[in-house]
Amino acid sequence: MHVVHPAPREPSRRYRRAMGDASASWRLDHPWAKVYERVSTDDRLGPLLWRLGTGSSVDELHARAAAALDALPPGARVLDVPCGSGIVLRDLPRDHALRYVAADISPAMLRRTRAEAERLEVPGIETKEADVHRLDDQDHTYDLVLTFTGLHCLPDPAMAVHELARVLRPGGRLVGSTLTTDAGLRHRATWVAGRAAGVLGPGGTRADLRRWMADAGLVDVDLTPAGAFTYLTARRP
Ligand SMILES: C[S@@+](CC[C@H](N)C(=O)[O-])C[C@H]1O[C@@H](n2cnc3c(N)ncnc32)[C@H](O)[C@@H]1O
């Protein structure tokens, strides 16, 4: 007998996790998102937990973000995606004259980013809900795209890198970081736990990351390992 199952209106969280779509878990504000927010915004415990968890210093993220932002002229356009809970906002000067868009797939994370902007009294931050695999921005929109600690959370990081390169204007820079799967035995457990919890995507090795960036047409690619992370910079020719 042929049985027709009614289509579910909205796939459940369990279904989405089983399908391995980490982005869907983040969008639904997975419990890890709240923990991550504390780790990335708590000034006292955060840096210690970051070091224990990733074998690197969160100061490096801030130094790289600040350097990239400082190099921009007034009026330059910046996309920070995924912005998470607004970790990069503290690297913006309060009197900045940039056009800064913070984007994330999670409405809860965007609320946290807005709260962080208020707390830090950083003006002029636009937030928008966006899937980094399918941005609604036109080609060549941004002078700088920041993508810190995000590619490893995505179902299709190669597609995301292509999209990030697409929205960069010629000469614009991509700056960010990601976990990679070849960061050493010590960090394997992070991957296993993150995949099991449904908050990490398939990820890739540093060689994969380099290939995704080259395939997206990016040049001057620099990859710098730091504990579990690889920091990345590149330019659109
Ligand atoms: C580990 S957090 C890091 C974000 C932030 N840049 C940082 O360094 O703290 C990863 C973020 O990716 C977001 N995310 C996951 N999938 C996404 C997608 N497809 N498009 C946009 N954001 C996504 C999550 O909601 C989460 O805020």
Side-chain angles (χ1 to χ4, degrees):
M1 192 176 69
H2 182 65
V3 181
V4 179
H5 296 282
R9 272 179 308 161
E10 178 77 7
S12 68
R13 183 185 292 227
R14 177 179 288 184
Y15 170 84
R16 288 176 177 183
R17 280 209 204 134
M19 295 301 287
D21 184 345
S23 288
S25 298
W26 283 100
R27 190 173 151 61
L28 294 168
D29 203 26
H30 188 282
W32 173 250
K34 296 182 191 76
V35 177
Y36 184 77
E37 184 209 3
R38 292 302 300 274
V39 172
S40 58
T41 56
D42 186 308
D43 288 336
R44 282 184 310 125
L45 265 186
L48 178 65
L49 294 173
W50 186 280
R51 180 167 283 289
L52 286 174
T54 71
S56 69
S57 167
V58 72
D59 292 346
E60 176 147 10
L61 184 158
H62 290 298
R64 285 172 176 265
L69 291 163
D70 284 351
L72 294 173
R77 301 177 74 125
V78 181
L79 175 66
D80 173 9
V81 63
C83 62
S85 42
I87 191 169
V88 168
L89 296 185
R90 66 183 62 188
D91 306 314
L92 269 169
R94 282 179 197 190
D95 58 352
H96 78 88
L98 303 170
R99 295 155 80 186
Y100 195 100
V101 178
D104 201 285
I105 203 166
S106 157
M109 282 304 210
L110 291 169
R111 278 197 299 279
R112 293 175 187 130
T113 290
R114 285 191 288 273
E116 181 71 349
E118 262 181 43
R119 185 180 78 84
L120 296 170
E121 298 178 12
V122 184
I125 307 296
E126 182 191 332
T127 55
K128 75 172 179 181
E129 205 176 308
D131 180 351
V132 66
H133 301 92
R134 286 177 289 267
L135 296 170
D136 64 2
D137 300 288
Q138 295 190 337
D139 296 358
H140 308 168
T141 300
Y142 296 100
D143 300 280
L144 173 67
V145 172
L146 300 173
T147 187
F148 283 103
T149 334
L151 293 176
H152 50 263
C153 297
L154 307 175
D156 193 338
M159 183 176 171
V161 170
H162 187 275
E163 197 60 353
L164 297 176
R166 181 184 69 73
V167 300
L168 270 179
R169 70 164 180 75
R173 291 182 71 213
L174 176 68
V175 174
S177 62
T178 180
L179 298 175
T180 59
T181 53
D182 55 353
L185 216 59
R186 174 181 162 196
H187 301 295
R188 281 306 299 167
T190 307
W191 275 98
V192 174
R195 291 288 281 166
V199 291
L200 289 187
T205 62
R206 278 179 210 121
D208 291 329
L209 180 58
R210 195 174 282 285
R211 181 169 43 79
W212 302 334
M213 294 169 85
D215 288 351
L218 295 167
V219 296
D220 297 344
V221 173
D222 180 75
L223 302 182
T224 306
F229 285 113
T230 295
Y231 284 92
L232 60 102
T233 64
R235 185 175 59 81
R236 183 176 172 137

